[in-house]
Amino acid sequence: MHKLKLVSKLMIPMIAAGLLVGCGNSSEADKANGSAASSSAIAEAGPASSSVDNTTEDTSNNTAETEATSESANTSSTIEEDIPIEIKGITERSDEMRDISAKELVAEMTAGWNLGNTLEATGDAGLSSETSWGNPMVTKEQIDAVCEKGFDSIRIPVTWGNHVSEAPDYTIDPEWMDRVEEVVNYALDDGMYVLIDSHHEESWRIPDEEHIEAVDAENIAIWKQVAERFKDYGDHLIFEGLNEPRIKGSADEWNGGTYSERLLVNRLNKSFVDTVRATGGNNEKRLLLITTYGDSHLPGAITALEIPEDEHIGVAIHAYEPYAFTYESGESWELFKWDGSHNGDIIKVMYRLDSTFISEGIPVLLTEYGAVNKNENTDEVVKWTESYVSAATKRGIPCFWWDNGIYDQQGEKFAIFDRKNLSWYREEVVDTIIRESYSK
């Protein structure tokens, strides 16, 4: 693997490798939470929607198989040549709010990275929560290093519910709001695109009939304050209303939710959009991201998503696909090697998002993806990353790697950036992300 250098213009060997591409054994992933399960995993489809879900899944499977075969044929020979790729690096800050569509704005974005387990950490109160899950305090130098590597987009997960007063005001702690804004400006000052969300709010944001009135009130109060604080910021700042909205521990938590739960998530999406737009200023044209139940890409979830009549709307989805490879499950069906035989699992997800949203002019961002470090299986993750990011980039979908800062400690080992030493773990993986993201 050719390592990239931190320079503005790179000569990168672009390799079209002839990986075996097929549909994979979906039964393995179907057993896992959040996997690309068949529509039968949707326990409650709602009135007249079960047959729609089945049809959608069957169509996407068949078409994805055709696409997978086609993509395999197109990369059947190995071609290696030096092609210059110019990464953006640190650029001038933009505070302009242009009158462009969501599709046009998303098309400007390339490689994305998550500042995970930091501003959404809940292990302590107040400002000390930022480091309560073991990551160091965020510095401008960290963000500079990420941007210089070629990541032009950053997602900053934020927990707000642990930093608000009691009902009915739900006033956000001013010190916390200031700190979030400070970190946002670290990235904007580098010319990056910045996503902020509402993360790890499941303890109170419960989408069921018993809680929805109080949940909606708090959701509105939080986003009104956030929108007011950032209303004069330019279009490089994006709001993502809900992170994985779901009922924790429920039977359908990672299977796309029930019919009634999906309706309530639609209600929260609408409240978020209406609240932000009502604050005026640049928020009238700001890109807002809505999502499905649990950020699911499953057919029942995405077909149930209600899209507002608004040209500045995009969809956020999470896809760790296939789960058997991207996570450590300890199950007999876990995958440790990536030989391309499960590439069809990735293609099915991408085709589903393309046919449901992108073909209708609605951009999609994969705001979380990644694969854990399994006993230093970097070479395998490199091959998986090439398959995944190239499939997304081909369809105009920017991808944001989930980096929680955990590499060789206990926990889900998704880290690719060593924040303490400003260096890179699994740099071959990082180089692959950059190469494939810029290969539009």
Side-chain angles (χ1 to χ4, degrees):
M1 169 60 68
H2 180 90
K3 283 194 175 182
L4 313 186
K5 298 178 181 178
L6 290 180
V7 294
S8 60
K9 184 168 285 188
L10 308 173
M11 296 294 291
I12 304 172
M14 299 296 292
I15 303 174
L19 293 176
L20 173 63
V21 182
C23 298
N25 184 355
S26 62
S27 63
E28 294 177 352
D30 290 351
K31 297 175 185 176
N33 289 341
S35 66
S38 66
S39 58
S40 62
I42 308 301
E44 183 184 343
S49 66
S50 178
S51 60
V52 174
D53 286 354
N54 289 332
T55 301
T56 304
E57 178 68 10
D58 290 341
T59 302
S60 66
N61 283 350
N62 294 337
T63 309
E65 290 175 14
T66 302
E67 286 208 2
T69 302
S70 175
E71 290 186 23
S72 178
N74 290 337
T75 58
S76 58
S77 61
T78 299
I79 304 171
E80 183 171 342
E81 58 181 315
D82 285 337
I83 299 176
I85 290 183
E86 185 173 357
I87 65 171
K88 296 178 182 178
I90 294 175
T91 59
E92 185 177 352
R93 176 180 177 130
S94 172
D95 286 311
E96 181 184 4
M97 177 56 72
R98 297 164 293 173
D99 189 14
I100 61 176
S101 68
K103 181 179 179 180
E104 292 171 311
L105 181 62
V106 171
E108 297 176 356
M109 303 165 71
T110 53
W113 180 80
N114 270 275
L115 181 67
N117 282 22
T118 307
L119 295 183
E120 88 284 19
T122 59
D124 209 340
L127 294 178
S128 62
S129 65
E130 178 177 341
T131 57
S132 66
W133 284 356
N135 281 313
M137 182 174 288
V138 183
T139 65
K140 180 67 164 60
E141 290 73 22
Q142 292 170 6
I143 306 304
D144 289 349
V146 171
C147 186
E148 287 173 347
K149 187 64 172 174
F151 291 95
D152 75 334
S153 305
I154 185 171
R155 182 174 183 249
I156 304 175
V158 182
T159 292
W160 303 99
N162 281 22
H163 302 274
V164 301
S165 66
E166 298 296 323
D169 295 332
Y170 301 109
T171 303
I172 298 172
D173 177 0
E175 288 189 337
W176 185 247
M177 182 75 87
D178 289 345
R179 176 56 178 159
V180 171
E181 185 174 23
E182 182 178 32
V183 175
V184 166
N185 279 316
Y186 290 164
L188 289 176
D189 286 344
D190 285 346
M192 300 179 80
Y193 298 88
V194 182
L195 280 62
I196 56 175
D197 73 350
S198 178
H199 211 98
H200 290 314
E201 313 283 17
E202 293 78 30
S203 63
W204 63 267
R205 194 176 59 201
I206 304 171
D208 65 14
E209 293 294 346
E210 179 182 355
H211 298 90
I212 192 60
E213 295 301 327
V215 166
D216 208 9
E218 186 166 356
N219 187 53
I220 290 170
I222 287 172
W223 277 110
K224 182 178 181 181
Q225 294 171 78
V226 174
E228 288 286 357
R229 172 60 72 99
F230 292 100
K231 68 189 296 182
D232 295 326
Y233 280 65
D235 57 26
H236 276 220
L237 179 63
I238 298 160
F239 296 160
E240 181 181 353
L242 308 169
N243 176 76
E244 297 179 353
R246 66 193 193 279
I247 300 176
K248 288 189 72 173
S250 66
D252 293 295
E253 179 179 7
W254 297 117
N255 287 327
T258 65
Y259 174 74
S260 60
E261 290 164 354
R262 295 193 292 261
L263 290 180
L264 296 179
V265 168
N266 282 331
R267 171 175 170 173
L268 296 177
N269 278 323
K270 185 177 187 304
S271 295
F272 156 66
V273 173
D274 291 348
T275 298
V276 173
R277 294 286 184 244
T279 61
N282 286 345
N283 288 332
E284 293 180 358
K285 297 179 181 178
R286 188 172 311 286
L287 175 57
L288 304 180
L289 303 181
I290 61 174
T291 194
T292 60
Y293 184 96
D295 278 70
S296 174
H297 57 76
L298 296 178
I302 64 173
T303 56
L305 181 63
E306 295 177 0
I307 308 294
E309 292 290 335
D310 186 320
E311 69 170 352
H312 302 290
I313 293 291
V315 174
I317 295 292
H318 296 174
Y320 297 87
E321 193 66 30
Y323 181 93
F325 180 81
T326 61
Y327 273 82
E328 281 189 304
S329 66
E331 300 290 344
S332 60
W333 41 263
E334 184 174 353
L335 297 174
F336 297 89
K337 301 288 186 180
W338 189 259
D339 61 3
S341 61
H342 287 260
N343 206 39
D345 296 341
I346 295 172
I347 301 301
K348 280 193 291 186
V349 174
M350 301 305 171
Y351 173 78
R352 192 180 296 148
L353 299 177
D354 192 345
S355 61
T356 305
F357 301 120
I358 298 172
S359 64
E360 300 298 322
I362 304 160
V364 173
L365 294 84
L366 283 163
T367 56
E368 286 187 24
Y369 81 110
V372 299
N373 172 33
K374 297 182 182 181
N375 300 318
E376 304 299 332
N377 67 331
T378 298
D379 290 345
E380 302 305 316
V381 176
V382 165
K383 291 184 285 186
W384 172 84
T385 302
E386 182 175 9
S387 297
Y388 191 105
V389 179
S390 64
T393 302
K394 174 183 176 181
R395 294 161 176 83
I397 304 175
C399 301
F400 292 70
W401 184 281
W402 177 251
D403 189 329
N404 56 8
I406 300 174
Y407 178 69
D408 53 10
Q409 312 97 307
Q410 289 296 317
E412 298 171 346
K413 300 176 176 64
F414 281 103
I416 54 174
F417 181 52
D418 181 348
R419 305 181 201 180
K420 294 180 181 178
N421 298 303
L422 303 183
S423 59
W424 296 91
Y425 305 120
R426 302 191 285 175
E427 191 164 15
E428 296 91 342
V429 174
V430 180
D431 292 343
T432 303
I433 293 170
I434 301 303
R435 185 188 71 224
E436 297 302 329
S437 297
Y438 279 81
S439 300
K440 294 185 178 181

